[in-house]
Amino acid sequence: MNVHVNGNCIGCGLCVNMCGAVFLMTEEGVAAAKDTIYPDQEGFVQEAAESCPVSAIEIDA
């Protein structure tokens, strides 16, 4: 699974609160995804993507 946070991110932090093992806030105040996603994290990543208010989380299986 590859995860990318696109330019739509508004920095609300929802993804970080839902799945801090994968998402982090950058110095610019927007979210970013870590490079390594483990299989046991995939469900949390999917849930964060579905909850993102601006659909900024892109997932490539």
Side-chain angles (χ1 to χ4, degrees):
M1 170 183 271
N2 294 314
V3 180
H4 171 74
V5 179
N6 67 33
N8 292 339
C9 180
I10 59 173
C12 73
L14 181 66
C15 59
V16 176
N17 289 332
M18 292 181 75
C19 189
V22 173
F23 298 100
L24 56 97
M25 296 302 290
T26 68
E27 291 181 11
E28 291 79 25
V30 295
K34 297 180 181 177
D35 292 333
T36 304
I37 311 299
Y38 297 101
D40 63 329
Q41 297 169 327
E42 291 180 2
F44 297 108
V45 172
Q46 185 67 41
E47 188 174 340
E50 292 170 1
S51 299
C52 179
V54 293
S55 301
I57 301 171
E58 299 175 358
I59 299 174
D60 296 323

